[in-house]
Amino acid sequence: NQAKGKLTRIDIAMDDYDGDVLLFDNLRNDIIRGNIISKWRDSTEIIKRTTEEGEIIGHTINVGSGASRIYMRIYNKGLEQNINKKWIRLELEIKKEYAEKMQTLVTTEEIGPLVSKILNNYIRVVEKDGNKNKSRYKTKEYWLNIVKTIEKQKLTTRAEEKTIQDTKDWISKQV
């Protein structure tokens, strides 16, 4: 007898212990300059400082909304852990039905390439070249080093087809 449960959230992290792949400053600058094509509409930068010396003890960029079903966070984990090392972490926070879809996908696919395809579906860092068709912009080399793929993976699920009974139930309830 299996227990019935529902997965509501999955957090997936990529760690760069040397800061030479997840180029935090490059990504920050590209976000500021609008050099991204993304399904997410906004970003938030958070800098945490000590009150006495004004020393930076935390630096985070959130892309997307924490209230949405998926969003990205990139931050300096070395600062957070108070270690003198450039340790950069990129996290995807996946919630609700997207988390359930992710649970299904990780049972059949390798996690690294899967996360790369999901990232590639939601955000791309580009070189603007004046072309009116943004999809033709060249992807920046450092971003290609992160995602390592041109494939994309959606986490959306298709809506179930409505039956005649569903329509009757809706009319009964609404009218």
Side-chain angles (χ1 to χ4, degrees):
N1 188 10
Q2 290 186 338
K4 294 188 182 187
K6 190 171 187 173
L7 183 68
T8 58
R9 180 173 155 175
I10 294 177
D11 290 0
I12 297 173
M14 281 184 196
D15 283 318
D16 178 358
Y17 295 105
D18 299 315
D20 57 2
V21 176
L22 294 174
L23 302 176
F24 184 89
D25 292 334
N26 289 23
L27 184 57
R28 177 185 177 271
N29 290 334
D30 281 324
I31 289 170
I32 289 169
R33 292 184 181 109
N35 293 336
I36 63 170
I37 297 172
S38 179
K39 293 181 188 293
W40 295 307
R41 298 189 183 271
D42 57 29
S43 67
T44 306
E45 183 174 2
I46 302 163
I47 298 173
K48 186 176 179 182
R49 300 178 185 275
T50 62
T51 54
E52 288 183 18
E53 304 293 324
E55 178 186 359
I56 295 176
I57 56 173
H59 197 173
T60 303
I61 298 171
N62 296 317
V63 184
S65 166
S68 67
R69 290 171 285 195
I70 182 170
Y71 86 108
M72 182 180 84
R73 175 185 310 117
I74 185 167
Y75 60 100
N76 189 325
K77 185 79 173 167
L79 281 176
E80 179 194 79
Q81 297 295 312
N82 196 25
I83 57 174
N84 193 17
K85 186 174 184 178
K86 193 163 195 162
W87 169 10
I88 305 299
R89 175 171 283 177
L90 185 148
E91 293 177 347
L92 286 178
E93 187 175 295
I94 304 168
K95 297 181 268 196
K96 301 179 181 174
E97 70 272 12
Y98 283 18
E100 291 176 21
K101 172 84 180 237
M102 186 68 178
Q103 179 184 26
T104 303
L105 290 169
V106 296
T107 61
T108 59
E109 292 191 45
E110 193 177 331
I111 190 79
L114 175 61
V115 170
S116 290
K117 290 188 285 187
I118 292 167
L119 262 178
N120 204 36
N121 185 55
Y122 281 89
I123 186 171
R124 188 165 65 98
V125 182
V126 297
E127 299 273 356
K128 289 183 177 176
D129 63 8
N131 194 319
K132 290 184 182 187
N133 185 342
K134 291 180 181 182
S135 68
R136 292 187 180 146
Y137 288 170
K138 183 180 175 195
T139 303
K140 288 204 173 182
E141 196 65 36
Y142 81 88
W143 189 251
L144 285 172
N145 287 335
I146 294 168
V147 294
K148 298 184 186 328
T149 187
I150 59 167
E151 292 181 75
K152 295 181 178 186
Q153 175 65 57
K154 294 179 180 180
L155 292 175
T156 54
T157 53
R158 285 203 171 129
E160 292 181 22
E161 289 206 21
K162 300 290 184 197
T163 64
I164 292 171
Q165 188 60 49
D166 291 335
T167 305
K168 286 180 179 178
D169 292 345
W170 179 84
I171 290 169
S172 173
K173 198 185 288 184
Q174 299 296 322
V175 178

